[in-house]
Amino acid sequence: MDAFTDRLVARAAAIEPVLEGLLDDLPAFGELERPLRLMAAMRHAVLGGGKRLRPFLVVEAAALFGREDEGVLRAAAAIELLHCYSLVHDDLPAMDDDDLRRGRPTVHKAYDEATAILAGDALLTLAFDVLADPATDADPAVRAALVLGLARASGPGGMVGGQMLDLEAESVPPAEAGVRTLQAMKTGALLRFSVEAGAILGGAPAEARRALLHYGAATGAAFQLADDLLDATATAAETGKRTGKDAARGKATLVALHGVERSRRMLVALVAQAEAALAPFGPAADTLRQAARFVADRRR
Amino acid sequence: MDAFTDRLVARAAAIEPVLEGLLDDLPAFGELERPLRLMAAMRHAVLGGGKRLRPFLVVEAAALFGREDEGVLRAAAAIELLHCYSLVHDDLPAMDDDDLRRGRPTVHKAYDEATAILAGDALLTLAFDVLADPATDADPAVRAALVLGLARASGPGGMVGGQMLDLEAESVPPAEAGVRTLQAMKTGALLRFSVEAGAILGGAPAEARRALLHYGAATGAAFQLADDLLDATATAAETGKRTGKDAARGKATLVALHGVERSRRMLVALVAQAEAALAPFGPAADTLRQAARFVADRRR
């Protein structure tokens, strides 16, 4: 492994026990009974796999401003919980109807549909719980800003709205601008917020925050384009999830619109944009530069 | 109508435009496309019906401490958004499989299942957006406390966990203590938090807040017991939703355990508990006293 992959793996290893702690020690039970099946389904959805890319972006962006502590890991874990809820609901029969995720059965396959719906709801709610908890940051203004940012990135004007536009795109394929918009909402918004959350936690000045938002937007677009390329060109064995879905459904993606070769060139341009946005930070931002390249080059 | 019903209707009328505004003017779109079908489904889920009992409790509890402003209405509306998401997901085919809600088609019937899942997710996320928004309270400590309280009340240790225990109770009927626990989580926690949110917004002293939590817990328990009694004794035409479901599924409720007559006496005792908890507030809390009686006596 190269130095970047080592670092990605080490950061993921640091997030794992935080996720485990949050899922073991659910808040507010008091004397109440514990819904053990729900908790097991939540653990199935979150633990045991995943690159933890969003937490990585949170941690690396916060580190740019010298902040590395348990609160950063908690905020990073909250964003991962939210990401995992979105996967659980996307995999449902009424949505993408996927049986396989990260090479394992999806939550509704391992448990049942009702449990998967509730586990997703619980993970989404827990993400906000973690961000609003004083253990994440002593300053309530930081906590409120994190909650508001995550809600905007993942709500009807962000991820969930993008999911809806994506479903509708199967029956009425949008033009290129529509595809870009829905992708910026569906996957871009949460990746961009991951970087922004690091800036909020690190107390970044306004200009640095703006630069990071540009980086996050370009990296998010690169992520989705790489995803669409993998769907078009890789096998399920390589990616750990079903592929070829977009073409089978006639889904409008940039790859469908422009073809594989041109999409690969667009991907290179997005990585260059992401790197350029980091210019103000100099070599301190090298890990984030490598992250943009990693997102574009990944094989799963 | 009596004076209490007038007041309930007037408070609901004040909440309605706030809900409409929040659902019309979704956050974070910027130059992005609007997911119109999702927004329509969210409006279908929230507008046009409902007693707005949770907002009423927020507003009346805040008024005890002299606070009545737009921020209170926004927080009250956020809790209603969250309540409505829970109804949308509960009605899904994999859950209660209900076609009718408030006398109208449920969201998955009026739209489709995928849209209902996403509309629920979007309403849940929007609730936290509204609470974390500076327009709700200028003090970030109040906003963070509201977010944390709502997440605890509605998450795996509250409403969602109670839903899961309730589903499991259909195959393995719990003993009475288990029924009380799951009901306190499933419906009690959010009603109790509605009262607590009013106390947080009103800057209530710790002792007053504790008294209100006792009131909220008793009122929440009364609400669920009245609901189970209606399910056992009323018709769909009277309630606007399907009835007789609990008995048909062999669900363990207090009514199933104790019978209708004894349950009615338990309901009277819960109302007395709720009223007693309000003693420190004197006549200023008369509306909240009437609310506890209303919850127990309602016919739908």
Side-chain angles (χ1 to χ4, degrees):
Chain A
M1 294 196 293
D2 60 15
F4 174 78
T5 316
D6 284 348
R7 188 159 176 140
L8 185 64
V9 169
R11 295 291 199 197
I15 283 292
E16 223 58 27
V18 180
L19 287 168
E20 296 223 25
L22 292 172
L23 293 167
D24 255 354
D25 177 28
L26 287 179
F29 280 102
E31 77 282 31
L32 299 174
E33 207 167 306
R34 292 154 69 87
L36 296 175
R37 185 175 166 86
L38 182 70
M39 293 169 71
M42 292 167 74
R43 293 175 61 89
H44 181 95
V46 174
L47 301 176
K51 294 175 292 289
R52 312 305 188 196
L53 179 63
R54 290 157 196 80
F56 183 79
L57 293 173
V58 177
V59 170
E60 290 297 338
L64 263 188
F65 306 94
R67 180 160 178 197
E68 301 201 45
D69 59 23
E70 185 71 14
V72 172
L73 293 178
R74 285 175 56 90
I79 295 176
E80 187 70 8
L81 294 175
L82 191 130
H83 171 59
C84 291
Y85 119 75
S86 77
L87 300 181
V88 174
H89 281 189
D90 286 359
D91 288 338
L92 285 167
M95 306 273 291
D96 284 355
D97 194 14
D98 269 316
D99 298 349
L100 206 59
R101 163 76 63 185
R102 292 170 181 165
R104 297 189 309 150
T106 48
V107 177
H108 67 273
K109 281 285 164 189
Y111 294 83
D112 55 63
E113 226 179 300
T115 304
I117 293 167
L118 292 176
D121 293 344
L123 290 169
L124 169 53
T125 308
L126 184 59
F128 289 109
D129 185 315
V130 173
L131 291 184
D133 191 312
T136 297
D137 197 292
D139 181 354
V142 168
R143 303 201 297 276
L146 290 171
V147 169
L148 189 59
L150 182 62
R152 294 275 155 101
S154 65
M159 188 184 74
V160 173
Q163 263 298 333
M164 186 76 213
L165 292 173
D166 199 39
L167 285 178
E168 292 182 275
E170 289 176 19
S171 39
V172 184
E176 175 158 356
V179 174
R180 287 184 188 274
T181 294
L182 83 82
Q183 293 194 341
M185 293 167 74
K186 192 180 75 155
T187 46
L190 192 59
L191 284 160
R192 198 178 72 146
F193 174 68
S194 302
V195 179
E196 189 182 13
I200 293 171
L201 288 157
E207 206 165 326
R209 195 161 150 175
R210 265 195 303 277
L212 282 173
L213 281 173
H214 284 299
Y215 163 80
T219 304
F223 181 92
Q224 183 61 49
L225 187 50
D227 218 51
D228 293 344
L229 277 164
L230 282 172
D231 186 79
T233 62
T235 67
E238 287 166 332
T239 62
K241 59 185 175 185
R242 196 152 51 87
T243 58
K245 291 185 296 185
D246 296 340
R249 296 180 182 204
K251 188 183 272 190
T253 66
L254 294 180
V255 177
L257 289 168
H258 295 293
V260 167
E261 283 318 306
R262 195 156 164 225
S263 296
R264 289 208 166 115
R265 287 197 298 276
M266 288 161 60
L267 188 52
V268 170
L270 283 169
V271 172
Q273 267 178 47
E275 292 183 322
L278 296 174
F281 302 101
D286 274 351
T287 302
L288 288 176
R289 286 184 188 88
Q290 289 160 348
R293 290 197 290 273
F294 169 81
V295 155
D297 294 343
R298 74 205 155 89
R299 292 281 162 267
R300 59 192 299 156
Chain B
M1 294 196 294
D2 60 15
F4 174 78
T5 315
D6 283 349
R7 189 157 175 143
L8 185 65
V9 168
R11 295 292 199 196
I15 283 291
E16 223 57 28
V18 180
L19 288 168
E20 296 224 24
L22 292 172
L23 293 166
D24 254 355
D25 178 27
L26 288 178
F29 280 101
E31 77 281 31
L32 299 175
E33 207 167 307
R34 292 154 69 87
L36 295 175
R37 185 175 166 86
L38 181 70
M39 293 169 71
M42 292 167 74
R43 293 175 61 89
H44 181 94
V46 175
L47 301 176
K51 294 175 291 292
R52 312 305 188 197
L53 179 62
R54 290 156 195 80
F56 184 78
L57 293 173
V58 177
V59 169
E60 291 296 339
L64 263 187
F65 307 94
R67 180 160 179 198
E68 302 201 43
D69 59 22
E70 184 72 14
V72 172
L73 293 177
R74 285 175 55 89
I79 294 176
E80 186 70 9
L81 294 175
L82 191 132
H83 170 59
C84 292
Y85 119 74
S86 77
L87 301 180
V88 174
H89 282 188
D90 286 359
D91 288 338
L92 285 168
M95 306 273 291
D96 284 355
D97 195 14
D98 269 317
D99 298 350
L100 206 61
R101 164 75 65 184
R102 291 171 182 165
R104 298 186 310 148
T106 47
V107 177
H108 67 275
K109 280 286 164 187
Y111 294 84
D112 56 63
E113 227 178 300
T115 303
I117 293 166
L118 292 175
D121 293 344
L123 291 170
L124 170 52
T125 309
L126 184 59
F128 290 109
D129 185 314
V130 173
L131 291 184
D133 191 313
T136 297
D137 197 293
D139 181 353
V142 169
R143 303 201 296 277
L146 290 171
V147 169
L148 188 59
L150 183 62
R152 295 274 155 99
S154 65
M159 188 183 74
V160 173
Q163 263 299 330
M164 186 76 213
L165 292 173
D166 198 39
L167 286 177
E168 292 182 274
E170 287 176 21
S171 38
V172 185
E176 175 158 354
V179 174
R180 287 183 189 275
T181 294
L182 83 81
Q183 293 193 341
M185 293 166 74
K186 192 180 76 156
T187 46
L190 192 59
L191 285 160
R192 198 178 73 146
F193 174 67
S194 302
V195 179
E196 189 183 14
I200 293 170
L201 288 157
E207 208 166 324
R209 195 160 149 176
R210 266 195 302 277
L212 283 172
L213 282 173
H214 284 299
Y215 163 81
T219 304
F223 181 93
Q224 183 61 49
L225 187 50
D227 218 51
D228 292 344
L229 276 164
L230 282 172
D231 187 79
T233 62
T235 67
E238 287 166 332
T239 61
K241 60 185 174 185
R242 195 150 52 85
T243 57
K245 290 185 295 185
D246 296 340
R249 296 180 183 202
K251 187 182 274 190
T253 66
L254 295 180
V255 177
L257 289 169
H258 295 294
V260 168
E261 282 319 306
R262 192 154 169 228
S263 297
R264 288 207 167 116
R265 288 196 298 274
M266 288 162 59
L267 188 53
V268 170
L270 282 169
V271 172
Q273 269 179 44
E275 291 182 323
L278 296 174
F281 301 104
D286 274 352
T287 302
L288 288 176
R289 286 184 188 89
Q290 289 160 348
R293 291 197 290 272
F294 169 81
V295 155
D297 295 343
R298 74 206 155 88
R299 293 279 161 269
R300 59 192 299 157

